[in-house]
Amino acid sequence: MDSAASRRALSVASIPSFQRISAFLNDSTYSRRHLLPGVCDFTLGNPHQMPQTAYVDALRDAVNPRDDQWFAYKSNGAYAREVAAESLQGLLDVPFAAEDLYLTTGGFTALAMALKAVADPGDEVIYSLPPWFLYEPLVVEAGLVPVKVRINTETFDLDLEAIGAAITPRTRVVIVNSPNNPTGRIYPPELLQRLADLLEAASARIGRRIYLVSDEPYNRIVFDGARFHSPAEFYPYTMLAYSYGKTHLAPGERIGYLALPSAMPDRRDLAPAMGALQVAMGWIYPNGTLQHALPKLERFTIDVDQLQRKRDWLVRELRGMSYRLQPSEGTFYLFVHSPIADDEAFTEALSQEDVFVLPGALFETPGFFRISLTASEEMVERSLPHFQAAIERAEQDRPEDSEYHLPTGLIPVTPASKAHPPSL
């Protein structure tokens, strides 16, 4: 007898990477223990301290009705769009018009809408590994074909040669995520310009436009005073997906947008399709309260300096233990080389001591693990002896002819005292 589920639904459910992350979240040591007292949870970008007062005040104010239409159906609220477009334009110094910004329930639906707006079933979507682990389900659910290429695992930069080689006459979209989850890399302008040139030339060669979907939920979360550059600054056929859930570390409050730069020649031709998808995909507009709050939410972010101090603290300590890692340039994350080839075995050993990280295998990049900097300061301090013990065990078990060197080109970081963590 045939399955009750559709072939499309079954194809999504059967994606190996999707099955692995689902198993980790729902049927693992982590799923059973991560909420227990004393656990050090470095897995997801979830908050581990109370939200900012400014965030709570913005929501509290927004829920107070000003008129009888306050809680009526909300689509693309005009004032919310204007404020968001102005803020984005200020961040990137690229023109964006309010009417080219489409409000969504977070970054998920912004990405899904972008794919469905420009690609037909059977078209190909290129993205780089390690990816955000839900790109493939979004691509497959849209009836599209995922095409995966590797990044440079030393520099964490895009491999433009690999992207170019992957382009075929069926290529319609290339997804770029910067600042990158999980590596923390911000792609430099020189690389983005070369990518733009590559896509322009490839579009002319295959006789159809290749769109770039820029996944930017962390574009306000950058460290060391870095200037973030978006692909939209270099390639006009860029659709920019953004989520306020990262900016305010409130992923349960779903609001984001998909924005088309004013330089995109066919953006107005796409407008009817965008509006139709916002309805047909299940009324994917943010709820009214969040739209009312958006103008205030644009005025602040989470404490990025605090995240950077936790980054510096962990980088110093882990390097002092001989872990190999680059300091992230943005996002919530550190992407660390596993001291043994089997990253899942290493992270499972950590989990037995109630220290939870995500193995690189969940990002289709074995040999690494990801740490979330949203863990509390107390978690960081409690975890350090366990990270030390874990790498010592790994070194004892490593074959004598195996070597483990720090990669070249790392920024020197002086080990900090384990007894006196930095003031956070």
Side-chain angles (χ1 to χ4, degrees), residues 179 218-223 246-247 302 304 307 329-332:
Y218 302 97
N219 63 17
R220 271 83 162 174
I221 304 173
V222 299
F223 303 137
K246 307 300 185 184
T247 304
I302 58 170
V304 176
L307 282 175
E329 297 170 307
T331 75
F332 298 153

Side-chain angles (χ1 to χ4, degrees), residues 119-166:
D120 291 311
D123 284 343
E124 294 173 349
V125 178
I126 297 173
Y127 59 86
S128 296
L129 305 182
W132 178 54
F133 38 65
L134 293 178
Y135 285 150
E136 188 168 3
L138 289 176
V139 170
V140 172
E141 191 279 329
L144 308 175
V145 180
V147 178
K148 307 171 187 179
V149 300
R150 291 281 176 193
I151 64 166
N152 182 322
T153 53
E154 289 300 317
T155 65
F156 291 154
D157 273 336
L158 299 172
D159 186 334
L160 298 186
E161 184 176 344
I163 292 173

